[in-house]
Amino acid sequence: MILLWAQSIVPLTLQAWFFDKRQSLANDVYSMAPIPALLTSGLGALVLVVAVATIFLGVQARSQQRPPPAVLVVAVSPWLYIVSRDLYAGHTPSSASYAYPLVLTALWLVSSSVDRILSLLGLLVFSTAALSILMAVFVPASGIYRSASGIFAEAEKEILPWGLLVGMFGSPNNLGQYLALGFAALFFIRNRFFKVLAVSATSFAVLWTSSRSSVLAVGCCLVLAFILSRAGKRPLIRRSIPFVLLGLLIYVAALPFVTTDPSSYTNRGHIWAESLRSAQAEPVFGLGSSWYQDIAGYYNQLGSLAFHGHNQVVQTIVTGGSVFAALVLALILLLIVRASKEGRHGHFYPALFLSALLISCALEVSLGFVDRTFLFSVFLVPIALILFGRRELPVRVSTSLNMSAHSPASGQRDLRRPHAPRFSTVQCDAM
């Protein structure tokens, strides 16, 4: 967890703090300074080494209970397909993308302490938000978004009157995505004071980015947490979780197809229409994960700011075709099934995370299997915990949403319950 976070945040922070940072176009050649570049490759290699070592140790633990292998197959299949498709077309994926199958396999093989990892993730997300705010206050040239000409961001998009918070990332949307995907983990911070501070500071940072999908994702997460925390023993609210998540999934899938105005959502309507038109050339197998980067160097109808499809469904169809879309849909539906099952038992983290993930996918691309690797720490690990996470010690079952872990008194095991739930119940102390 720490390595995945450091790989994404530390080199970008050094790059942003000590070197000039401005808006870049899709066809710009981006190069990091020597030290941040060395850190990126070194930490990336260390992630792979630790994952392989964990897999080796997990294989040795033959007596350990594990989820069915079919669950791992469903989770890894999208990555395996798009990598195979790219290799066949002569495109080699980045070494960082191999963390996806290795981390999933490692967490499938070993028993993970869900609450401990989520508590750590919450602290890391809070640290990212706090560092971004500090950069904006003390080094605004690095922490506030600037155009390619050096002028601070356009005023019409601002929610707060201080520009767009970008922190160590290249765009405010990327920072908003990162914080929104990690937001639900903030409720697992054990200390109540830090929990309140983390939720408040991270919410403020997301609002400062003015990233609409991220603001909506955090807002939905807070509202859903508030509603679920008051579910009590009323099963109707808990049983509504799959319908809420399926509704969000339909919203993400339908949005680019029902949008007719090219200028909608900051010209995303145009990007969606042109992307889907291009995808008709290869509807089954797609155009490859690097298609948006490949066409950026030539005159094209998408414009200079189309780094990706700006919608998860569009991105999936364009890059991998109907085959890729079916595999990604199977993974999402499996996650919704797991979230629904956990929700019926009063364990709501999966539902909160998936709600933020799906809303983020409406205007951005948050499920990156061979790209978007900077998001691995906030979407790959939570997905693995939802699918594979287990708790060896049982928890005190409560009817409230308790965001801090509870273990039995004096560390004793409850022998009456052979299978403990994977997620602790959560209480919205921060609300």
Side-chain angles (χ1 to χ4, degrees), residues 45-393:
L46 192 56
V47 167
L48 301 182
V49 169
V50 171
V52 170
T54 306
I55 291 172
F56 176 78
L57 294 174
V59 170
Q60 305 305 310
R62 301 179 183 273
S63 61
Q64 194 171 64
Q65 293 183 352
R66 302 184 181 109
V71 178
L72 178 63
V73 171
V74 172
V76 174
S77 290
W79 180 90
L80 187 61
Y81 167 76
I82 197 65
V83 166
S84 301
R85 188 245 173 268
D86 283 354
L87 289 174
Y88 179 80
H91 174 71
T92 303
S94 66
S95 58
S97 68
Y98 287 93
Y100 182 89
L102 291 176
V103 170
L104 283 178
T105 304
L107 290 178
W108 176 73
L109 284 169
V110 302
S111 176
S112 9
S113 174
V114 172
D115 289 348
R116 177 183 295 182
I117 295 178
L118 290 178
S119 176
L120 174 60
L121 176 58
L123 291 172
L124 294 176
V125 170
F126 170 47
S127 300
T128 305
L131 182 58
S132 298
I133 294 173
L134 290 174
M135 290 177 65
V137 172
F138 294 104
V139 193
S142 296
I144 301 293
Y145 195 48
R146 294 192 295 165
S147 66
S149 62
I151 301 174
F152 286 107
E154 65 277 11
E156 59 268 18
K157 188 183 176 183
E158 295 177 5
I159 296 177
L160 299 177
W162 310 309
L164 304 179
L165 181 67
V166 66
M168 66 289 297
F169 288 96
S171 80
N173 289 337
N174 288 346
L175 174 60
Q177 269 183 287
Y178 191 93
L179 299 180
L181 294 183
F183 190 80
L186 298 174
F187 298 123
F188 278 78
I189 296 176
R190 298 172 186 271
N191 183 280
R192 181 171 181 175
F193 171 78
F194 282 110
K195 187 190 305 182
V196 173
L197 180 62
V199 171
S200 302
T202 305
S203 300
F204 174 75
V206 172
L207 191 65
W208 196 351
T209 67
S210 298
S211 173
R212 288 162 296 179
S213 59
S214 300
V215 171
L216 184 59
V218 168
C220 179
C221 190
L222 287 170
V223 171
L224 188 59
F226 178 81
I227 294 174
L228 292 175
S229 68
R230 278 140 183 82
K233 297 181 179 179
R234 290 169 286 186
L236 181 61
I237 295 180
R238 296 182 180 184
R239 290 175 182 173
S240 67
I241 289 176
F243 300 102
V244 172
L245 296 177
L246 286 173
L248 292 176
L249 177 60
I250 294 172
Y251 163 71
V252 172
L255 185 61
F257 295 96
V258 301
T259 301
T260 56
D261 184 359
S263 63
S264 297
Y265 305 104
T266 320
N267 295 322
R268 282 176 172 82
H270 172 73
I271 294 175
W272 295 338
E274 293 298 331
S275 296
L276 293 173
R277 188 175 296 115
S278 300
Q280 295 174 4
E282 195 63 64
V284 178
F285 300 109
L287 302 171
S289 64
S290 63
W291 182 73
Y292 285 95
Q293 288 72 33
D294 293 341
I295 67 168
Y298 306 92
Y299 174 78
N300 64 85
Q301 299 297 323
L302 293 177
S304 58
L305 294 178
F307 292 88
H308 48 72
H310 285 282
N311 174 274
Q312 190 68 54
V313 173
V314 170
Q315 177 81 8
T316 302
I317 292 175
V318 170
T319 58
S322 57
V323 176
F324 192 37
L327 294 174
V328 174
L329 178 61
L331 172 59
I332 294 176
L333 290 177
L334 178 59
L335 289 168
I336 291 176
V337 169
R338 291 302 179 98
S340 304
K341 181 180 178 181
E342 296 290 343
R344 287 196 300 270
H345 294 89
H347 314 135
F348 301 129
Y349 171 79
L352 298 178
F353 166 76
L354 285 179
S355 66
L357 173 66
L358 291 172
I359 293 176
S360 175
C361 288
L363 300 179
E364 299 295 335
V365 177
S366 296
L367 275 175
F369 299 94
V370 294
D371 51 10
R372 319 298 283 170
T373 54
F374 71 94
L375 295 173
F376 272 8
S377 57
V378 288
F379 99 83
L380 177 55
V381 172
I383 284 176
L385 294 179
I386 293 172
L387 294 177
F388 314 133
R390 294 192 300 272
R391 295 172 52 89
E392 294 189 2
L393 288 178

